[in-house]
Amino acid sequence: MKAAQFYGKEDLRVEEVEEPTPGPGQVKLRNAYSGICGSDLHFYFFPEALPFDLNEPHPLTGACVPQTLGHEFAGTVIEVGEGVTGVKVGDRAAVYPLVASCGECAACRKGLRFSCRMMGSIGANAPGGGLSEFTTVPASALHLLPESVDLRMGALVEPMAVGWHAVARSGVQTGGTALVAGAGPIGIGAWFAFKARGVEKVLVSEPSAERRAIIAALGATVVDPVNDDLAAVIAEFTGGAGVDVAVDAAGAGAAITSALTGLAAGGRVVVAALHEHPMQFQPTMLSMGETEIVGAVGYQPEEFDAVIAAMADGVYDTTGWVEEIPLTGVVDALHALRNGTRAKILIKAD
């Protein structure tokens, strides 16, 4: 079978590998679609910044390079291993990729498995991955899709769950106001999640004209933070009160500082993006407004299910921001996304 194998910095090869067989407790999937994530870009362009060394076997999963990438994926069960119950051949599912954590550290004891230093994820540092024709995963990783949610939408459950979790971390209330900084896939996911929670007044700040047009076509109110006066736009948008919450999905220090400036008293900024560079800000702006900054990483299993339910209810719309390319185009897709010229790319596995 064909798979996209990561060997090191800017070295990803689509090559023939052995087709897997499910072990006890596992299922074999025919992968349908796999999304390319910002984390995949960090793998490809900045592996030296990863919190683990892929040249050494992972202490829990045993994975090391070459590693099949792809942690945002959905497929169809074509074989089940010994002891699997509740899943059958023909079931369609999105895959919850977090499959390993130490279970003993402070993060794990608090239920924050994505914050475990030994966290293992399919398509990152655990065997298998969605950028392949077939893969095996624990049956427990499957979140079954209802008939109204197709496999293309199923591959978007993972990134949309990141946005969903970020919005949950904001503590926003129905009828509140929000700012989303960045209109990439996570920003789009946060915008949909706000809508699902009854937050209609959401302003999206995005410097890319292409991305502004994409999310505006979905119904968002947008602003150019480079050429427009963002503070003035926020003031007009909220009647001078400031936004109740903001989500940083941009990964730029300026996005956080401008969000802090635009917060209402008691507001909260959620940092959901990966940042390549440190930033500076004036802490006094937190104390004077009793505002706060919190982080958000990953999602809980129940948030996966909440996103799937919202998809079944028609909350999510892929018009204009999701495109499909074959597996052979994955390297070109990574470079296009790095240059900010695309929104969301799904790789067709077959």
Side-chain angles (χ1 to χ4, degrees):
M1 71 170 187
K2 289 184 172 59
Q5 298 278 90
F6 176 76
Y7 283 85
K9 186 179 179 69
E10 297 189 47
D11 185 2
L12 182 68
R13 312 171 197 174
V14 177
E15 55 190 10
E16 288 289 335
V17 301
E18 185 177 353
E19 194 170 312
T21 300
Q26 292 186 322
V27 300
K28 180 178 179 179
L29 293 180
R30 181 186 299 277
N31 295 331
Y33 298 94
S34 182
I36 298 178
C37 173
S39 301
D40 296 319
L41 299 184
H42 278 76
F43 260 82
Y44 185 73
F45 291 104
F46 304 103
E48 65 276 7
L50 295 172
F52 46 83
D53 184 358
L54 272 172
N55 291 299
E56 297 293 332
H58 187 278
L60 298 180
T61 70
C64 60
V65 293
Q67 167 71 43
T68 302
L69 294 188
H71 62 275
E72 306 176 353
F73 65 106
T76 302
V77 177
I78 61 171
E79 188 177 349
V80 299
E82 180 184 350
V84 171
T85 59
V87 177
K88 64 183 184 302
V89 171
D91 281 345
R92 301 170 312 110
V95 176
Y96 189 92
L98 178 60
V99 292
S101 58
C102 75
E104 300 175 355
C105 68
C108 285
R109 292 197 302 270
K110 293 178 180 179
L112 304 176
R113 297 178 67 210
F114 273 94
S115 297
C116 175
R117 293 187 177 183
M118 287 198 286
M119 181 268 286
S121 173
I122 298 168
N125 56 356
L131 289 173
S132 58
E133 293 181 272
F134 304 95
T135 194
T136 55
V137 301
S140 58
L142 299 186
H143 286 245
L144 299 183
L145 301 174
E147 288 299 321
S148 57
V149 178
D150 62 21
L151 286 166
R152 185 174 183 268
M153 188 70 84
L156 296 170
V157 171
E158 197 276 351
M160 295 301 96
V162 174
W164 190 281
H165 180 66
V167 169
R169 289 281 287 152
S170 78
V172 70
Q173 300 297 311
T174 299
T177 58
L179 171 71
V180 175
I186 303 306
I188 291 173
W191 182 79
F192 279 122
F194 278 123
K195 295 295 184 180
R197 289 173 177 266
V199 179
E200 294 298 329
K201 288 187 67 65
V202 183
L203 180 66
V204 180
S205 171
E206 170 56 60
S208 164
E210 179 181 352
R211 287 186 168 181
R212 283 198 308 276
I214 287 171
I215 197 166
L218 293 171
T221 302
V222 300
V223 58
D224 179 352
V226 176
N227 297 305
D228 296 334
D229 185 339
L230 180 58
V233 173
I234 292 174
E236 181 180 359
F237 188 70
T238 62
V243 292
D244 297 319
V245 300
V247 171
D248 162 39
I256 295 178
T257 54
S258 60
L260 286 169
T261 302
L263 278 183
R268 176 181 289 180
V269 173
V270 180
V271 180
L274 295 174
H275 284 245
E276 294 176 7
H277 306 289
M279 62 165 289
Q280 292 183 330
F281 74 99
Q282 172 53 266
T284 301
M285 69 173 66
L286 298 179
S287 59
M288 295 304 293
E290 292 208 351
T291 53
E292 57 187 316
I293 304 173
V294 301
V297 60
Y299 31 72
Q300 295 294 336
E302 57 268 25
E303 290 172 319
F304 241 56
D305 292 329
V307 169
I308 292 171
M311 288 176 170
D313 288 340
V315 170
Y316 292 86
D317 181 358
T318 62
T319 304
W321 65 279
V322 179
E323 61 181 297
E324 304 169 18
I325 66 172
L327 183 59
T328 52
V330 63
V331 172
D332 289 341
L334 287 166
H335 285 271
L337 289 169
R338 175 68 178 166
N339 293 331
T341 58
R342 308 287 183 85
K344 188 63 181 178
I345 296 177
L346 295 181
I347 303 298
K348 291 192 69 172
D350 52 8

